[in-house]
Amino acid sequence: MRPAENTVPIEAISLSRRYRGVAVSAVWDAWTTAEGFSAWWGPTGFEVTVSSSDFRAGGGLRYVMTAIAPDQVRFMDRAGLPRATTVDVRIGEFLHGHRLTLVQSATFIPDVLPYDVTTTVEFASTGGAVPGARIRVNLEKMHDEDWTDRAVAGWRGQLRRLSRCLHATEA
C-alpha cells in the first residue's frame, strides 16, 4: 500500500444547489437524520443503510453503502472494490440549519493508505417569488485527479437524488 499523495488537499470543489419551494429545515433534516440521510445518500445505483447516528458536533454516523444496480455491481467487481462498504463519518461543525462538516476516512481505495476527506455543507434560505433553500457543498480534492473526478461525479448524482427526495416529500 502506498500513502495518498495529497494527504492535505490544497483546494476544494464547490457544488451549489437550489431547492425552490422547499424549506431549509427540510433540507437540513435530509442531511441530519438517519431516515433522511438513507433516503438519498450515495451515488445512483447504490443503497445506504444507516446503522448508527449521532448528529451533533463531535458525533458520528455509520452506514453501509451497497452497489445494487447491475452497472454499479459490474464496475465494483472490475475495479476490485467490495460491493458493500461500511463507512464511518465524524461530525465536525454542526450549526443547526446553517453549516455541517462531515469527515470521512477514505478506506476503500485499493493500494492507497486511508486518509480523511472533509465535506462542508452550508445551508441558507432563499427569497424571491418562490422561497426555498440553497446549499453549497465544499469537497476536498482526493489523492489524485481520477478519484477526485469520481467523487465529483458521485456528488452530482447524489445531489440529484436529494433533489428528487426533497420534491417528493413536499408534493
Side-chain angles (χ1 to χ4, degrees), residues 18-75:
R18 288 180 181 256
Y19 305 104
R20 296 178 72 135
V22 178
V24 73
S25 61
V27 181
W28 177 260
D29 287 348
W31 282 83
T32 61
T33 65
E35 181 180 294
F37 191 86
S38 63
W40 68 274
W41 189 260
T44 301
F46 288 80
E47 175 181 77
V48 167
T49 305
V50 174
S51 56
S52 65
S53 62
D54 181 12
F55 286 103
R56 62 177 175 83
L61 170 71
R62 174 175 269 194
Y63 64 89
V64 177
M65 186 168 66
T66 306
I68 58 170
D71 287 345
Q72 283 70 19
V73 169
R74 279 191 297 278
F75 172 82

